[in-house]
Amino acid sequence: MSINLSIVQKYDLEAYTLEQAQQEDVQQLLDVCAQNIGAVNEDQITKAFKLCYLSHNGVTRASGEPYYYHPVEVAKIVAQEINIDDISVIAALLHDTVEDTDIGLDQIRQWFGNEVAIIIDGVTKITGVFKTRDSKQAETFMKLLLSMAEDIRVILIKFADRLHNMRTIQHLRREKQIQIASETMDLYAPLAHRFGLFTIKNELEDLCFKTIDPTSFKFVARKLREKKESREAYIDELMMPVGRQLAEQNLSFEIKGRPKHIYSIYRKMQRQQKPFEEIYDLFAIRIILEEPHTKEDCWRVYSIITDWYTPIPERFRDFISVPKANGYQSLHTTVITNRGKKIEVQIRTRKMDNIAERGLAAHWKYKEGEQSGSDTLDRFVSWVREVLDNPRPDSSTDFVKDFQLNLYQEEIYVFTPKGELRTLPFNATPIDFAFEIHSEVGERAMAAKVNDKMVPLRHKLRNGDQVEIITGSKINLNPDWMDDVVTHKAKSRIRQFIKQKQRKVADIGREIWEKRCAKAKLDITDQELTRVARKFKYESTQGLFFDLGSGSIELATVFKEAKKFKSTGKIDTEEDQIQDAQNISTEQVHQKYFDAARSYGQGNALILNGDISHVKYTYANCCSPIPGDEVLGFISRNGDVKIHRSMCNNAQHLLKNEGDRIIDVKWAKSIDSKFLGAIRVIGEDRVGMINDITDVLSKSLSTNMKSINVSSDEGMFEGIITLYVDGIAHLDKIMKRLERLQGVKNVLRYE
Ligand code: MN
């Protein structure tokens, strides 16, 4: 270990006295620690604070605030929302020092011990990986997980770091904001979900949503405020008799019933194409029993509720006896109220609620005293290891895809023949189960028995099934299984198998090819053959060899083309032109548009429908943006710009894979052309409905309609109308007007 003496003298931490303002900062942090963690080493935290303050001294953030605010806020998040221990608070305070200041890791180790040094080293490494822009995100993600496996606190601090950066994102440039928000949405939020850090995940998602699509965010937020009182009054009325009885039985409790997570409401509205009101009504009421109430008391509450309201038996869930893999525990029941409405009620203790909101880390507090806590954590860590230990898939994007799938699926619980419990994602089949038991069982699976009956391997498993796999002596893995599995483990093993098989076929193809060339004495290099392969739309010779091997392409056809190329040296295909266009670098294009935009005095944004004639852009068909929508520009491979709505699925996909190709775009202040918008009208199927709709459009709003598509079913009417509008304000006006028509239930923007 080398200790830099000048550093030790420069930062004489013991002797240094903090100013009044910083003294208050440190006291505030210590208070947060005392409230959330309990006993902490206050001297060490104060020492870390001093080093944090001194080492970042003179540096400011994009907001103009002194830099040290950031690590202090991160430390507060760690203490308050993740509340693990003082080591992680100290590491959070110092998480940027090694990276950004003259302090080395050895110094940290000497002052704060090995544990803190290891965590900071982990955080620095992750940050470094994120900064290398050209590394594919999936790869980054892998490394991130790897370092987490060393000490899980590394990743918890990274969550806190990202959360604070998202909270203060408004100070960055718009493109940067969107890029960070989209990365957070894709990687951090799902991972936080897996950790069970639900509060953090929800806040991250809301902040991302607010950044990417501020208009929709504000819309839902406003609706929530408007509905708050009537919702609370309704819950009060509903819970009054129940509450009285709970009090009689000496149960102390809290009732929560107001949803706060804006993004999940918006997502449900989009997914189910339903208006805010319908989604909002579905949100659950939660009854939380205060300490020292136990799970038995949860059952008492359940019994009281069902005395007053009729439960729907199929909707009952007992996550107390069988917790979810992430540690979530609660009773769920759906009851019918005396107004005939269905409402979900969740019953849990305060501790269960803490775990539900703060996740597994909340268990850490009890890790000494309680067995179950560390058990759950161990299960989680072993899950992560399992993902990492799997044979590495060839394509890292596939990895992220599988991973995200697993995160968002709901779980089912099945039993092995010995009665052991296994958690699988929803829609899992016996094949998934087999790979879950062991990769060899998966590879040799021949048939399956579910609850003692023979079923096909592709049979969908259900909660509570007992599953037995019948294996053969040889490998029986079938590439077609790919469509029948949902777990990461099964997918990656099958993919690997397919790759191996493909390689064999391609080897045969190469042999055939080389024999043919040798016979005709045609001498063609691999590079030359690649160009021939492109002519036939193959990305590489490997694909060509595979198809030759499997007989999907004729040897004679390829050979003829190769011979022609050899003698003329020319293949004129579209492929070549595209190849040239790809040579326009992203920087060049950025520069071109920034210059253009700047010359019109609009900062760095490309102005849509203004009069910048030399900038070529088109509107994406997938989401048909109209003026007023939140939009993004993507520089396409040939240098054009495609305009998407920020929340469009395709745009989200592009953001994820080619975030460096975004450019900021804005609508011009005045636009005189018309845009195509679509709306969906739902209502009663009454005489004259279509007439009334077209009347509103043509007579009172003088709007031109392009098409109207009508269907009716069981007395309900549904119309999809495309029309020419000036922009979002115009579309809103139309929607409001249509909503007022007799019998119309609901008008929505249609995508
Ligand atoms: Mn940081």
Side-chain angles (χ1 to χ4, degrees):
M1 194 196 314
S2 72
I3 297 298
N4 187 332
L5 274 177
S6 66
I7 292 280
V8 177
Q9 280 156 2
K10 182 174 163 195
Y11 299 104
D12 188 359
L13 300 178
E14 313 291 340
Y16 182 77
T17 327
L18 289 165
E19 304 277 326
Q20 183 63 30
Q22 283 76 48
Q23 192 57 51
E24 279 164 22
D25 287 339
V26 82
Q27 196 48 53
Q28 220 177 47
L29 174 63
L30 290 174
D31 290 346
V32 173
C33 288
Q35 279 159 24
N36 294 281
I37 304 178
V40 292
N41 188 333
E42 298 204 347
D43 290 345
Q44 281 297 88
I45 292 178
T46 310
K47 195 165 129 193
F49 179 94
K50 283 181 187 171
L51 182 60
C52 163
Y53 174 67
L54 290 173
S55 63
H56 293 295
N57 202 10
V59 184
T60 52
R61 304 189 82 212
S63 59
E65 289 174 336
Y67 193 89
Y68 83 95
Y69 281 21
H70 166 67
V72 171
E73 285 306 312
V74 174
K76 272 189 210 158
I77 294 172
V78 167
Q80 193 157 16
E81 323 232 357
I82 308 179
N83 53 61
I84 321 164
D85 56 6
D86 43 8
I87 297 285
S88 53
V89 173
I90 292 167
L93 279 171
L94 302 173
H95 80 270
D96 281 329
T97 45
V98 173
E99 162 108 80
D100 296 341
T101 72
D102 52 1
I103 313 280
L105 213 52
D106 283 343
Q107 242 76 53
I108 301 272
R109 189 171 297 119
Q110 199 205 10
W111 279 325
F112 300 98
N114 201 31
E115 235 178 325
V116 173
I118 287 175
I119 297 172
I120 291 174
D121 191 33
V123 178
T124 313
K125 276 182 187 149
I126 301 180
T127 313
V129 174
F130 266 100
K131 275 185 183 163
T132 42
R133 288 280 304 278
D134 52 335
S135 71
K136 278 270 165 276
Q137 280 172 334
E139 204 67 26
T140 314
F141 200 37
M142 280 283 278
K143 291 189 179 138
L144 190 127
L145 286 170
L146 272 168
S147 60
M148 174 187 64
E150 215 174 303
D151 189 318
I152 227 147
R153 286 170 290 190
V154 169
I155 198 144
L156 295 174
I157 289 171
K158 201 63 203 162
F159 281 139
D161 184 34
R162 180 53 63 112
L163 181 58
H164 185 247
N165 285 335
M166 281 303 301
R167 281 178 184 172
T168 51
I169 199 168
Q170 70 273 21
H171 303 289
L172 301 178
R173 283 205 340 251
R174 176 96 181 125
E175 299 109 88
K176 196 87 194 140
Q177 285 184 17
I178 290 182
Q179 221 168 314
I180 292 176
S182 123
E183 183 188 73
T184 306
M185 198 70 131
D186 288 333
L187 300 180
Y188 287 84
L191 196 55
H193 177 88
R194 194 69 209 193
F195 266 80
L197 298 169
F198 298 109
T199 313
I200 289 188
K201 175 219 151 215
N202 289 352
E203 190 180 344
L204 283 176
E205 281 183 347
D206 275 355
L207 289 167
C208 293
F209 180 38
K210 191 177 176 184
T211 307
I212 297 170
D213 188 354
T215 316
S216 305
F217 178 88
K218 277 182 213 143
F219 170 82
V220 179
R222 198 193 66 224
K223 285 273 192 182
L224 268 180
R225 276 198 305 277
E226 288 169 5
K227 285 276 164 183
K228 185 176 170 240
E229 268 173 41
S230 66
R231 165 98 182 171
E232 280 170 359
Y234 177 57
I235 291 172
D236 282 352
E237 182 197 314
L238 210 60
M239 285 293 123
M240 183 125 78
V242 176
R244 210 180 298 132
Q245 211 161 332
L246 290 175
E248 274 168 25
Q249 299 213 11
N250 289 324
L251 291 162
S252 55
F253 60 94
E254 184 198 356
I255 292 178
K256 279 190 196 167
R258 196 159 58 85
K260 282 180 297 204
H261 186 206
I262 292 176
Y263 180 65
S264 74
I265 297 175
Y266 178 76
R267 219 174 47 175
K268 285 204 178 91
M269 285 167 63
Q270 293 296 100
R271 224 178 10 216
Q272 305 175 11
Q273 286 278 309
K274 279 185 181 156
F276 174 85
E277 284 72 15
E278 271 177 51
I279 298 293
Y280 185 72
D281 279 349
L282 295 176
F283 275 87
I285 294 179
R286 187 180 302 165
I287 300 176
I288 301 160
L289 289 173
E290 302 297 353
E291 305 281 343
H293 291 314
T294 57
K295 67 176 185 190
E296 283 76 21
D297 297 317
C298 293
W299 288 102
R300 277 166 69 199
V301 175
Y302 173 78
S303 135
I304 291 171
I305 286 174
T306 50
D307 280 348
W308 285 94
Y309 304 108
T310 316
I312 305 171
E314 304 88 70
R315 299 285 294 274
F316 175 74
R317 295 280 179 280
D318 174 11
F319 295 117
I320 291 185
S321 314
V322 185
K324 289 193 191 182
N326 57 26
Y328 179 88
Q329 284 188 297
S330 188
L331 284 183
H332 290 188
T333 178
T334 300
V335 298
I336 299 178
T337 69
N338 26 23
R339 285 193 211 166
K341 273 191 172 182
K342 284 177 199 164
I343 192 145
E344 184 179 308
V345 184
Q346 305 173 344
I347 307 158
R348 56 178 80 154
T349 63
R350 178 61 69 190
K351 192 185 142 196
M352 292 174 194
D353 192 57
N354 271 337
I355 289 162
E357 304 261 304
R358 292 171 177 181
L360 287 154
H363 271 302
W364 278 39
K365 282 206 296 188
Y366 315 100
K367 70 179 169 187
E368 250 79 45
E370 258 177 66
Q371 203 48 49
S372 77
S374 62
D375 261 10
T376 332
L377 190 74
D378 283 349
R379 253 197 291 153
F380 173 73
V381 175
S382 66
W383 175 84
V384 175
R385 279 186 201 283
E386 213 169 83
V387 173
L388 294 171
D389 287 347
N390 261 310
R392 241 193 74 168
D394 290 32
S395 156
S396 37
T397 32
D398 280 344
F399 172 78
V400 170
K401 219 163 57 199
D402 291 354
F403 191 78
Q404 286 182 331
L405 272 179
N406 274 356
L407 297 184
Y408 280 119
Q409 271 159 350
E410 288 198 38
E411 293 159 333
I412 58 166
Y413 305 95
V414 296
F415 297 92
T416 67
K418 283 183 191 154
E420 283 164 18
L421 195 65
R422 298 281 169 149
T423 309
L424 287 171
F426 189 68
N427 272 341
T429 61
I431 309 171
D432 287 307
F433 177 83
F435 279 106
E436 191 62 33
I437 300 295
H438 197 282
S439 56
E440 256 197 57
V441 177
E443 287 161 11
R444 289 164 202 272
M446 303 271 294
K449 268 188 189 173
V450 168
N451 306 327
D452 272 325
K453 278 202 200 92
M454 292 293 284
V455 295
L457 282 173
R458 60 178 51 193
H459 172 89
K460 296 240 184 297
L461 295 175
R462 290 215 299 231
N463 238 339
D465 280 344
Q466 187 157 39
V467 192
E468 187 185 342
I469 300 294
I470 297 150
T471 53
S473 57
K474 282 200 223 100
I475 288 189
N476 188 45
L477 198 157
N478 181 344
D480 289 346
W481 287 357
M482 199 65 187
D483 297 325
D484 301 313
V485 298
V486 289
T487 52
H488 171 77
K489 211 172 185 176
K491 279 195 171 166
S492 79
R493 181 63 196 98
I494 297 169
R495 193 178 294 122
Q496 200 193 30
F497 182 79
I498 294 173
K499 282 263 156 66
Q500 277 169 359
K501 220 176 138 181
Q502 279 174 347
R503 218 169 289 139
K504 271 191 197 141
V505 177
D507 285 347
I508 296 171
R510 181 183 272 277
E511 229 180 281
I512 298 174
W513 174 255
E514 281 170 356
K515 270 192 188 143
R516 181 73 187 86
C517 290
K519 205 173 134 198
K521 297 210 167 54
L522 181 75
D523 192 13
I524 186 161
T525 65
D526 267 17
Q527 256 170 339
E528 291 168 321
L529 188 60
T530 306
R531 296 203 52 193
V532 178
R534 285 224 186 95
K535 155 95 186 173
F536 294 101
K537 313 270 181 227
Y538 293 105
E539 274 175 32
S540 65
T541 53
Q542 196 64 10
L544 176 68
F545 285 142
F546 176 78
D547 277 2
L548 280 171
S550 66
S552 324
I553 188 166
E554 263 184 37
L555 178 61
T557 320
V558 184
F559 187 73
K560 210 174 109 198
E561 194 62 43
K563 229 171 116 183
K564 196 173 109 202
F565 174 65
K566 210 48 206 182
S567 58
T568 63
K570 257 195 113 87
I571 291 181
D572 199 16
T573 62
E574 292 169 52
E575 231 52 54
D576 292 335
Q577 289 156 22
I578 291 172
Q579 201 59 31
D580 286 344
Q582 279 177 353
N583 294 337
I584 303 174
S585 78
T586 317
E587 286 77 40
Q588 278 170 340
V589 180
H590 265 141
Q591 206 47 55
K592 181 175 153 200
Y593 289 110
F594 288 169
D595 288 349
R598 234 179 250 117
S599 66
Y600 282 81
Q602 298 285 359
N604 271 346
L606 165 62
I607 305 300
L608 299 177
N609 263 68
D611 41 4
I612 308 175
S613 53
H614 52 290
V615 176
K616 221 167 119 195
Y617 60 86
T618 47
Y619 298 100
N621 285 327
C622 47
C623 52
S624 315
I626 62 175
D629 278 332
E630 296 291 339
V631 280
L632 286 175
F634 275 95
I635 300 161
S636 70
R637 293 261 179 237
N638 57 24
D640 289 356
V641 175
K642 258 258 157 18
I643 312 299
H644 286 267
R645 289 175 64 184
S646 317
M647 289 305 281
C648 162
N649 279 340
N650 292 335
Q652 289 295 313
H653 181 81
L654 285 164
L655 268 172
K656 197 185 312 176
N657 296 306
E658 295 176 80
D660 54 340
R661 287 185 169 264
I662 336 171
I663 67 166
D664 192 12
V665 291
K666 282 199 181 83
W667 297 99
K669 288 224 173 60
S670 68
I671 293 172
D672 47 13
S673 44
K674 296 281 184 197
F675 288 78
L676 213 52
I679 51 175
R680 179 163 170 255
V681 182
I682 296 170
E684 288 161 23
D685 188 16
R686 62 165 175 85
V687 180
M689 180 66 109
I690 297 180
N691 246 344
D692 288 353
I693 292 175
T694 48
D695 263 14
V696 165
L697 294 175
S698 60
K699 290 191 187 134
S700 61
L701 291 161
S702 53
T703 303
N704 274 331
M705 209 159 56
K706 185 173 179 247
S707 68
I708 176 163
N709 245 316
V710 178
S711 61
S712 59
D713 187 28
E714 288 177 28
M716 288 304 283
F717 161 97
E718 183 182 351
I720 303 207
I721 309 166
T722 50
L723 25 80
Y724 294 97
V725 293
D726 305 329
I728 203 119
H730 185 188
L731 197 68
D732 273 350
K733 203 159 131 199
I734 293 170
M735 288 167 63
K736 287 225 174 73
R737 200 59 82 71
L738 290 177
E739 255 168 16
R740 270 188 263 145
L741 278 179
Q742 188 211 329
V744 168
K745 295 260 182 266
N746 175 14
V747 184
L748 284 165
R749 176 107 180 249
Y750 184 73
E751 282 160 50

